[in-house]
Amino acid sequence: MVALCACQFINGQEYPAFRPLRYDEDYTVLEKDTVRDLYDKVKYTKMGSNGYISFGGDFRTQYLIIHNENWSNATQDKDGYTLNRWLFHSDLHLSGNLRVFAELQGGQANSTEILVPVQENPLEPHQFFIDYTFSDALITLRAGRQEVTYGSGRVVSLRDGPNVRRSFDGVKAMYKKDNIAADAFYLHAVVDRTGIFDDTSSPNLRLWGAFSDIRLPGRKLNLNLYYLGFYNDRAVFNDGSGKETRHSLLARVFQNWQRWGYDVEGAYQFGSIGERTINAWSVALSTLYRFPEIKFSPEIGLKADLISGDKNRFDKSHQTFNPLFAPGAYFGLAVPLGPSNLMDIHPSVTVHFSRKITFVCDYAFLWRYSRGDGIYRPVMVPTFAPGDAASRYIGSQLSGTFICQPNRYVTLLAGMSWFDCGNYLEEVSPGENILYGFVSAQITL
């Protein structure tokens, strides 16, 4: 890997930026490059008259240490543990219409007593799909195992944080013309397991829907409109369990200028869980203002969420918002909280010490939206048994992270979080404050 990076630096070629979804990258720009080194050939090798193949991947290693995990000192890990993850993909274009994309993933957790599939999954076929693009180049059909993310990633995400990324098995139709893109899809979630090549799609965990992305270049305005259907055969909430069929209507608008940007997303959910009727909603706001003329180009940000929770666990109405396939680190890796039954506000400050070194600090304050509901893990499992806790205030979290990017291939991070328990956690748990630290290094090729 280091050798390949060195070749790149010598050549000085401007390559396309790495994308969160690696299958979105396009290296055909290298076709006309007259000076080709080893890295160029790895990223683009022509095959026949209209075909080519490209390879890539990344490796990430993390060291994490956490005290009072889950707000309890019952189990303490004084030495911490490491998480390693590697991904390797090949992108084969057999012609201008036919494409095969394949990716392997491996995740390892070391020095931890309890192995969980989102951390430990030694080897699995993470993606394998076939694309067929019609001759007008407006519509592409995709079938197979694939990563999926939509909108801001609050309800359908890659789950990049914990260790092992998420994928789905299914079909998707994609349309794109000018400033409009739209998808229609039917997918089964892939269930992660701790063995080798043993991940399978779940018949009991399904996602279907349609998504549109509309860009208005004159106003630099972006609009997302989408519908998501969701089925879970074994849903568990504080007001009971049952078969869940949930429909979500979402709208997102976001805009980004030189100094100021904002992102607003709202969702409404309806459907049923057993005999209970769903009536849930959420609103999320993120805004950022930049000061480029001041030393270190500081940025001031503010995030806020208002997410419904169930009012009465004994009635036939269910108001808990389900984030479906949310990122595993919505409020940071230190606190295992999913975005349900919450009110929160996150002021933040970002400082750019140089083009390569950035520091981000944020302070999150969290409350329960409804006293009749509890809090949930990111996988939508209740954290504590339903009780009669009176307080809404969950607590606050102060976090700071240094980010160093010496070049486009390497990302280094180091950070720490302190979670101060509020009255609610002191009522339902031992109420021990959480201290969390990590260092991370990632190489992307």
Side-chain angles (χ1 to χ4, degrees):
M1 290 183 178
V2 175
L4 289 177
C5 292
C7 291
Q8 159 65 12
F9 301 148
I10 294 172
N11 190 7
Q13 170 70 46
E14 290 293 332
Y15 294 102
F18 295 124
R19 306 288 293 275
L21 295 167
R22 299 301 302 272
Y23 55 70
D24 283 340
E25 297 171 9
D26 183 0
Y27 290 92
T28 55
V29 65
L30 299 177
E31 182 177 3
K32 298 180 180 179
D33 191 3
T34 56
V35 180
R36 306 285 309 281
D37 60 19
L38 176 59
Y39 187 78
D40 292 331
K41 295 176 181 177
V42 169
K43 301 310 293 182
Y44 182 87
T45 297
K46 194 169 181 63
M47 299 180 64
S49 58
N50 296 315
Y52 67 90
I53 190 168
S54 176
F55 298 96
D58 68 65
F59 173 77
R60 185 180 72 179
T61 182
Q62 302 180 84
Y63 169 74
L64 308 95
I65 187 166
I66 183 167
H67 290 291
N68 301 326
E69 188 172 6
N70 296 322
W71 305 286
S72 171
N73 59 8
T75 57
Q76 293 285 13
D77 184 359
K78 297 181 180 180
D79 300 324
Y81 60 97
T82 60
L83 298 176
N84 299 317
R85 184 191 71 198
W86 60 267
L87 291 154
F88 174 77
H89 70 261
S90 63
D91 187 8
L92 173 61
H93 291 252
L94 296 169
S95 67
N97 304 94
L98 190 60
R99 173 198 192 189
V100 180
F101 186 92
E103 183 174 49
L104 291 173
Q105 177 175 229
Q108 295 81 35
N110 302 311
S111 301
T112 180
E113 295 181 0
I114 301 175
L115 297 178
V116 293
V118 295
Q119 294 180 344
E120 175 76 14
N121 197 340
L123 183 61
E124 54 104 5
H126 182 57
Q127 297 192 80
F128 185 83
F129 62 79
I130 298 174
D131 280 356
Y132 181 81
T133 302
F134 290 91
S135 56
D136 59 7
L138 298 179
I139 298 177
T140 298
L141 299 181
R142 174 171 297 168
R145 182 164 295 185
Q146 56 198 278
E147 289 185 337
V148 175
T149 182
Y150 286 116
S152 62
R154 293 175 62 245
V155 292
V156 180
S157 72
L158 301 174
R159 196 187 59 195
D160 192 62
N163 198 32
V164 176
R165 288 166 66 124
R166 175 189 289 121
S167 61
F168 297 84
D169 287 339
V171 294
K172 179 164 61 173
M174 298 168 284
Y175 169 86
K176 187 172 184 180
K177 184 179 181 181
D178 299 329
N179 297 316
I180 299 177
D183 291 359
F185 50 89
Y186 180 85
L187 306 165
H188 289 247
V190 174
V191 178
D192 300 295
R193 294 186 172 89
T194 56
I196 295 176
F197 275 41
D198 59 351
D199 294 359
T200 58
S201 59
S202 171
N204 301 318
L205 202 57
R206 311 170 203 163
L207 178 71
W208 64 92
F211 173 84
S212 64
D213 180 28
I214 304 169
R215 302 177 185 273
L216 304 176
R219 298 183 178 181
K220 296 183 179 179
L221 184 69
N222 300 266
L223 177 65
N224 295 157
L225 298 171
Y226 50 123
Y227 157 77
L228 299 173
F230 175 76
Y231 175 79
N232 184 359
D233 189 54
R234 302 181 183 92
V236 179
F237 293 89
N238 276 314
D239 63 344
S241 59
K243 294 184 178 181
E244 176 183 10
T245 301
R246 187 179 296 249
H247 307 279
S248 303
L249 300 175
L250 302 99
R252 176 190 180 214
V253 59
F254 57 105
Q255 206 164 10
N256 194 16
W257 291 284
Q258 183 178 2
R259 287 180 175 269
W260 182 56
Y262 68 88
D263 191 326
V264 181
E265 188 171 55
Y268 173 71
Q269 296 181 334
F270 58 97
S272 63
I273 301 177
E275 297 180 354
R276 305 187 302 282
T277 301
I278 297 172
N279 181 21
W281 53 270
S282 75
V283 178
L285 165 69
S286 176
T287 185
L288 183 72
Y289 193 84
R290 306 174 182 88
F291 298 88
E293 74 281 0
I294 300 178
K295 186 177 181 180
F296 302 136
S297 303
E299 303 172 1
I300 297 177
L302 180 66
K303 296 180 180 179
D305 294 275
L306 198 59
I307 309 170
S308 68
D310 194 57
K311 297 177 181 178
N312 184 346
R313 65 179 184 271
F314 301 109
D315 63 12
K316 296 296 183 181
S317 180
H318 175 87
Q319 293 91 23
T320 304
F321 182 80
N322 187 345
L324 307 183
F325 298 98
Y330 192 84
F331 298 105
L333 288 171
V335 181
L337 275 178
S340 296
N341 189 37
L342 285 173
M343 300 182 292
D344 60 85
I345 184 167
H346 299 226
S348 67
V349 176
T350 301
V351 180
H352 302 276
F353 292 110
S354 69
R355 295 181 62 184
K356 299 179 180 180
I357 300 177
T358 300
F359 176 72
V360 181
C361 179
D362 74 274
Y363 208 160
F365 300 87
L366 302 104
W367 298 261
R368 288 188 299 160
Y369 176 80
S370 172
R371 289 189 176 95
D373 203 351
I375 57 178
Y376 293 81
R377 296 183 182 276
V379 293
M380 283 310 295
V381 173
T383 300
F384 302 109
D388 298 319
S391 177
R392 293 182 187 268
Y393 186 53
I394 299 171
S396 62
Q397 178 178 257
L398 177 64
S399 301
T401 303
F402 281 95
I403 306 168
C404 177
Q405 291 185 292
N407 53 63
R408 73 188 298 263
Y409 304 94
V410 179
T411 303
L412 308 173
L413 297 95
M416 182 170 289
S417 295
W418 169 260
F419 190 95
D420 186 22
C421 288
N423 294 335
Y424 170 74
L425 287 173
E426 291 174 351
E427 290 184 56
V428 300
S429 76
E432 299 290 342
N433 297 331
I434 296 176
L435 178 62
Y436 169 85
F438 79 97
V439 292
S440 172
Q442 181 166 335
I443 299 174
T444 306
L445 295 173

